[in-house]
Amino acid sequence: MIIEDKERKINIIDTTLRNGEQTAGVVFSKHEKIRMAKMLDEIGIPEIEIGTPSIGQSEREIIKEIVASGIRGKLFTYTEAIPDNIKLAAECGIKNIIINISTSDLHIKVKYGQNKTWVLNQLKETIAAAKHYGLDFIISAEDATRTDLEFLLKLLHLAQKKEAYRFRICDTVSRLDPFRTFLLINTILSTVDFPIEVYNHNDFGMATANAMAAVRAGAVSLVTSINGIGEGTGNAALEEIVMALKYLENIELGVTTSRFREIAEYVAKASARAVPVWKAIVGTNVFAHESGIHADGVLKNPINYEVFEPGEVGLTRQIVVGKHSGSHTILHKFKEFGIDLTMNEANDILAMSRSMSVDLKRPLFDKELMYVYKDYKDSHKKTAHLSAE
Amino acid sequence: MRGLDVLTEFSMKAGQKIEPKKIKIDDTTLRDGEQTAGVVFANDEKVHIAKMLDKVGVHQIEAGIPAMGGDEKDAIKAIVALNLNCSILGWNRAVISDIDDSIECGVDAIAISISASDIHIEHKLRKSREWVLDSVKTSVEHAKKHNLYVSVNAEDASRADMEFLLQFARTARDLGADRMRYCDTLGILDPFETFMRVKTIIDIVGIDVEMHTHNDFGMAIANAIAGVKAGATYINTTINGLGERAGNAAFEEFVMALKYLENVDLGIDTRLFRDISEYVAIASGRFIPTWKPIVGANLFVYESEIRASTTLIDPSTFELFGPEDVGLERKLIVGKSSGVHTLTSKLESLGHKIEQSQAAELVEIIRDKALSLKRALFDSEIIDTFNSFKAAGPIYADSKNKGVDK
């Protein structure tokens, strides 16, 4: 059941342009959407969700333009299971859609004011409409992780019978941890042999871990967004998923990861949401080392504190001098400046730098480090001068 | 490495209930949090953070590194002098003089940290496994002579040879160490491997284990939870997940995940979470992303039609806990993804009534506005748009119809 095959293909369907934009307060312009779609395509993301046609005329215009922009990957639009919406998608020239419907009792009752039979009928009618327009469709079960398993399996059988492209399990309220994710996907796949994809939210910080657990259990596709942007806490971050698959699961997707930082910055600008410096994979601090032990370890050999080279995700390594620095960092830094310090000098300069850093409440810039050195040399000259007298 | 049998065992354990009383939080915001490249707390801030952590109910505070001397020692002494309910722990290398510095600061617990992986032993320490075990021995003996609670930290445990890690744990246990800290220093474990490795240590050596996880691949919380499922009893967290590189397991995320996903309530006062997060954000100079799990300002803000309208009827459709549980507020905003219901409720809350058919027209206008402004609208903008729409109502509808006819 556990697949150790390194050739195993996992699909990525990115939803930055759809659920990413659905984030409260986020709006992408037309140009940004087209650019992001192209970027995703260029780095080798096989499938992209580009929008929701039913939102309105302007959204449909953008979708049409993306469809016409010559992207190699498969493009999808998103719709609730409403038969009339299918026409809107078809008119945009799209060939693939995601048909979403809530499947938990709670959602069926509150969101639709209906029952399970209604859900099944609604889905069947929407599927018929999709088939009428010759569209491929993913069936997306919203709030699947709070859905009665029997009903979920029923829907899976329906998806199979109607030849859906895939079935999407949405952990809409982040109800699962990785172990339960594994159990659920494993149970589903032991009952129905059908391609499953998972859609994770990050409410408890476990989106990436849950996605990995799903892959272990046999899911074949993951829904991601750049920087993890999405409603609420957001979705599984594309860059985390790709790197975790590569380094934790030995599954290499062939994505051009060296452009991750660039793309993360682009989406950050477009969404007006900064990339936190500590953001996993693409944060600028991920390869910044300050503390004596870590910096010293990295200078001896990066393998001590790094799993992959910074260039692999478009970042650079930084050695920062601050409150937690050690004397080896000082020796190294000054060597970079072309100055060879003795150990004694390094220790003295370290003490001065640390107290300066505490005073400033931040690490020192390289320039400031040189000022410290100059002050040190000056005071030293003075002492030497005094003792000579 | 990943056989079917072990995995089956994993999934069997997944449903296992966790014993709530046994799990304790050892927060390291003041140590690993401050060790983050670029972060320096003022001593006053350290003392304040310690007080907040105690108030909210953590069990132990890792207050700093006494061996750094000077200011750092002063801060730790000041925290010890607060006489808080929780235990105060000092971080040390496996070096006698470090431990003496901790003793001087008056802490009741210490962590003795040393690398356990061959990679670190060879490339960082440039020593041998024997040297590592000897260092553990001398330092734990020294600490135990002074009646300190001792945690022996296995740095880079995730890349350590399992046999050696067991030997390491056994050595610590036999010397009377109170627990071993399992450090996933590079954040390279996934929850399944975490479970397997931690469970192996606990089953074979029988020492209390603390989880120290990093978020390099976004797995810090999941790995901490996996550790707990495997029997770990202490979790090393930081507020906002502050910490080296991608940071540590976030205190607020771990506590809530344990409470809402595993049904284990640690008795922490979660209503103070947003306050503490804000304080640490300012002290560390690192903002709270609006989408940050548990405490982000945007978590209970709804804009898209389905989420907004459904949540208004019953919040449990999209929320496992309410905003008041973590010191946040629920809010409705109107933007590109909004629809008739969202707009109608928003206008109503602003004191205006609108017909369904009119709302359908107005929402189109508002969506276009949001698209051209590249953001959701302010309340005052919504009212403005509503007023001019009402004034020009029929004309608007007319021009729109004409547009369609063309």
Side-chain angles (χ1 to χ4, degrees):
Chain A
M1 178 180 45
I2 278 314
I3 298 125
E4 270 279 16
D5 183 5
K6 290 191 180 177
E7 297 298 304
R8 187 174 172 206
K9 263 306 208 190
I10 296 295
N11 180 66
I12 301 285
I13 175 163
D14 189 275
T15 188
T16 307
L17 299 180
R18 201 273 302 171
N19 196 55
E21 196 188 25
Q22 221 164 293
T23 310
V26 171
V27 182
F28 295 135
S29 73
K30 182 175 79 178
H31 290 288
E32 286 165 343
K33 281 193 127 183
I34 295 171
R35 175 55 49 208
M36 284 185 260
K38 284 187 175 165
M39 281 173 155
L40 287 164
D41 195 47
E42 283 158 13
I43 64 169
I45 302 305
E47 297 182 0
I48 310 172
E49 272 185 53
I50 57 174
T52 311
S54 62
I55 284 185
Q57 191 56 42
S58 16
E59 173 83 347
R60 289 196 284 276
E61 292 306 321
I62 298 173
I63 291 171
K64 278 182 203 163
E65 282 208 39
I66 299 175
V67 169
S69 68
I71 283 170
R72 298 163 301 167
K74 242 182 158 82
L75 301 179
F76 288 80
T77 60
Y78 180 89
T79 178
E80 275 286 314
I82 300 169
D84 289 350
N85 279 358
I86 303 300
K87 189 168 176 254
L88 297 175
E91 280 169 359
C92 292
I94 204 88
K95 295 278 176 281
N96 315 287
I97 58 168
I98 294 141
I99 301 174
N100 181 68
I101 194 153
S102 280
T103 54
S104 67
D105 289 342
L106 178 68
H107 270 216
I108 294 172
K109 188 173 144 233
V110 180
K111 189 170 146 186
Y112 304 129
Q114 297 287 354
N115 56 32
K116 285 176 178 162
T117 317
W118 179 87
V119 167
L120 277 172
N121 286 335
Q122 193 72 8
L123 198 52
K124 281 178 190 162
E125 281 173 34
T126 314
I127 290 171
K131 286 188 177 267
H132 172 75
Y133 286 100
L135 305 180
D136 274 343
F137 54 94
I138 290 172
I139 293 178
S140 162
E142 186 173 349
D143 206 20
T145 53
R146 287 190 297 180
T147 298
D148 159 41
L149 187 60
E150 212 174 317
F151 186 57
L152 200 58
L153 290 172
K154 201 174 199 172
L155 292 167
L156 264 143
H157 281 295
L158 177 72
Q160 197 171 35
K161 196 173 130 207
K162 301 281 183 187
E163 295 170 321
Y165 183 63
R166 268 199 309 268
F167 193 90
R168 178 180 291 185
I169 302 282
C170 301
D171 189 12
T172 306
V173 291
S174 296
R175 186 64 192 84
L176 297 185
D177 67 28
F179 298 93
R180 279 197 212 98
T181 303
F182 182 91
L183 259 187
L184 176 67
I185 304 300
N186 189 24
T187 308
I188 290 172
L189 287 173
S190 341
T191 319
V192 191
D193 182 21
F194 198 72
I196 296 280
E197 80 184 4
V198 293
Y199 174 94
N200 300 104
H201 272 289
N202 202 34
D203 296 40
F204 296 98
M206 294 205 259
T208 305
N210 286 342
M212 289 303 117
V215 165
R216 283 210 171 191
V220 292
S221 178
L222 299 173
V223 187
T224 66
S225 68
I226 299 164
N227 298 343
I229 186 173
E231 285 195 277
T233 52
N235 297 84
L238 171 70
E239 58 281 3
E240 291 175 27
I241 291 291
V242 171
M243 296 306 269
L245 279 173
K246 181 168 176 183
Y247 285 98
L248 305 187
E249 299 292 328
N250 279 321
I251 298 173
E252 164 74 82
L253 300 183
V255 170
T256 313
T257 61
S258 57
R259 289 188 64 193
F260 274 173
R261 172 70 199 177
E262 175 206 341
I263 291 173
E265 278 181 46
Y266 190 88
V267 173
K269 282 258 161 62
S271 61
R273 295 176 153 223
V275 183
V277 297
W278 62 95
K279 168 78 183 64
I281 311 298
V282 290
T284 50
N285 223 47
V286 171
F287 292 93
H289 308 278
E290 174 188 313
S291 76
I293 291 173
H294 280 216
D296 182 36
V298 167
L299 291 174
K300 280 178 180 156
N301 189 342
I303 192 186
N304 281 324
Y305 287 103
E306 293 170 5
V307 180
F308 51 84
E309 284 286 313
E312 202 175 323
V313 290
L315 286 169
T316 45
R317 186 177 296 123
Q318 290 168 270
I319 301 293
V320 177
V321 174
K323 180 185 162 185
H324 293 83
S325 294
S327 45
H328 284 102
T329 307
I330 300 289
L331 281 177
H332 171 86
K333 267 281 180 192
F334 278 89
K335 198 167 220 155
E336 273 184 359
F337 303 152
I339 299 168
D340 280 321
L341 298 179
T342 65
M343 200 59 191
N344 278 340
E345 287 173 328
N347 280 329
D348 290 347
I349 288 173
L350 175 66
M352 291 169 77
S353 307
R354 273 184 177 176
S355 80
M356 191 164 162
S357 171
V358 168
D359 179 49
L360 295 167
K361 260 181 104 345
R362 60 165 170 79
L364 307 188
F365 299 117
D366 286 0
K367 262 262 165 59
E368 289 173 324
L369 209 51
M370 285 308 292
Y371 296 148
V372 170
Y373 175 73
K374 208 169 158 287
D375 289 350
Y376 174 74
K377 278 293 179 193
D378 285 351
S379 69
H380 222 69
K381 251 186 238 156
K382 221 175 186 176
T383 351
H385 180 67
L386 285 176
S387 54
E389 277 186 341
Chain B
M1 191 162 68
R2 289 163 186 160
L4 171 65
D5 289 346
V6 190
L7 265 173
T8 312
E9 194 193 346
F10 289 155
S11 21
M12 300 296 289
K13 297 282 174 191
Q16 208 176 57
K17 205 170 158 19
I18 299 166
E19 279 298 323
K21 269 180 228 145
K22 287 191 197 152
I23 296 155
K24 297 190 168 115
I25 302 276
D26 164 24
D27 187 274
T28 187
T29 306
L30 299 180
R31 201 274 303 171
D32 210 359
E34 198 197 26
Q35 212 169 298
T36 310
V39 173
V40 181
F41 293 132
N43 279 4
D44 276 351
E45 288 168 339
K46 285 193 150 190
V47 170
H48 192 72
I49 292 168
K51 279 185 190 166
M52 288 178 114
L53 286 168
D54 187 56
K55 190 174 167 201
V56 76
V58 307
H59 309 91
Q60 190 168 61
I61 294 173
E62 192 166 346
I65 307 172
M68 284 180 60
D71 250 30
E72 179 86 351
K73 261 191 185 163
D74 294 343
I76 298 168
K77 283 178 186 166
I79 292 168
V80 169
L82 293 172
N83 257 322
L84 301 173
N85 290 317
C86 60
S87 157
I88 306 296
L89 176 142
W91 188 94
N92 307 268
R93 292 167 299 174
V95 173
I96 301 284
S97 61
D98 277 29
I99 296 166
D100 288 337
D101 285 325
S102 278
I103 293 167
E104 189 203 319
C105 288
V107 296
D108 59 278
I110 62 162
I112 296 171
S113 188
I114 191 158
S115 292
S117 71
D118 289 335
I119 293 176
H120 269 202
I121 294 171
E122 187 183 328
H123 296 288
K124 189 182 94 175
L125 302 174
R126 295 177 175 164
K127 301 279 185 193
S128 65
R129 288 182 178 186
E130 291 68 36
W131 183 87
V132 167
L133 295 181
D134 280 348
S135 304
V136 169
K137 189 164 181 286
T138 4
S139 48
V140 174
E141 277 173 355
H142 185 69
K144 274 297 165 190
K145 262 190 270 171
H146 292 85
N147 289 324
L148 293 166
Y149 176 97
V150 175
S151 167
V152 178
N153 302 358
E155 201 194 343
D156 202 20
S158 302
R159 291 191 295 179
D161 169 54
M162 200 61 203
E163 287 287 325
F164 180 65
L165 201 56
L166 290 171
Q167 203 181 344
F168 186 102
R170 231 179 264 122
T171 307
R173 179 201 64 193
D174 293 346
L175 291 163
D178 298 274
R179 72 174 187 241
M180 173 177 135
R181 181 183 290 176
Y182 185 103
C183 302
D184 183 21
T185 305
L186 275 73
I188 49 163
L189 283 197
D190 66 59
F192 296 93
E193 245 178 298
T194 304
F195 183 91
M196 183 168 73
R197 290 177 74 89
V198 172
K199 189 153 182 14
T200 306
I201 295 167
I202 292 172
D203 285 356
I204 294 180
V205 182
I207 188 170
D208 279 0
V209 169
E210 170 182 16
M211 298 305 299
H212 176 89
T213 59
H214 274 279
N215 205 36
D216 294 72
F217 290 97
M219 306 242 176
I221 297 295
N223 286 340
I225 295 280
V228 168
K229 281 180 178 282
T233 41
Y234 281 82
I235 305 296
N236 212 200
T237 63
T238 61
I239 309 283
N240 296 344
L242 199 63
E244 301 236 27
R245 306 184 314 276
N248 294 68
F251 170 62
E252 59 282 0
E253 292 173 28
F254 177 76
V255 171
M256 294 302 268
L258 209 56
K259 185 168 175 182
Y260 287 94
L261 303 187
E262 316 298 341
N263 281 320
V264 176
D265 190 340
L266 297 182
I268 300 275
D269 190 354
T270 63
R271 291 166 307 170
L272 298 171
F273 279 180
R274 176 71 196 182
D275 274 359
I276 299 183
S277 284
E278 278 181 24
Y279 188 87
V280 171
I282 286 167
S284 62
R286 293 173 156 225
F287 74 105
I288 307 170
T290 56
W291 61 96
K292 163 93 180 56
I294 314 300
V295 290
N298 220 30
L299 299 196
F300 295 91
V301 176
Y302 295 95
E303 173 190 315
S304 74
E305 177 69 351
I306 289 168
R307 278 204 176 207
S309 56
T310 317
T311 310
L312 284 174
I313 305 169
D314 180 354
S316 71
T317 46
F318 287 103
E319 296 170 3
L320 286 186
F321 54 87
E324 62 286 351
D325 290 332
V326 289
L328 288 168
E329 280 172 37
R330 192 177 294 117
K331 243 185 3 196
L332 205 62
I333 62 173
V334 179
K336 184 189 160 185
S337 312
S338 302
V340 173
H341 286 102
T342 323
L343 179 62
T344 313
S345 321
K346 185 70 191 184
L347 281 170
E348 209 171 282
S349 74
L350 297 170
H352 297 281
K353 277 221 176 331
I354 187 165
E355 298 283 317
Q356 175 104 11
S357 60
Q358 281 193 313
E361 272 182 54
L362 181 57
V363 85
E364 289 274 338
I365 298 165
I366 283 191
R367 279 174 184 156
D368 283 344
K369 222 171 206 153
L371 187 59
S372 68
L373 295 171
K374 269 185 80 18
R375 58 168 170 79
L377 303 193
F378 287 103
D379 289 0
S380 55
E381 290 175 317
I382 297 169
I383 295 173
D384 268 2
T385 316
F386 171 72
N387 285 336
S388 44
F389 171 77
K390 247 180 38 181
I395 303 166
Y396 234 112
D398 271 4
S399 63
K400 212 181 156 220
N401 285 339
K402 271 177 207 155
V404 172
D405 287 339
K406 270 176 201 165

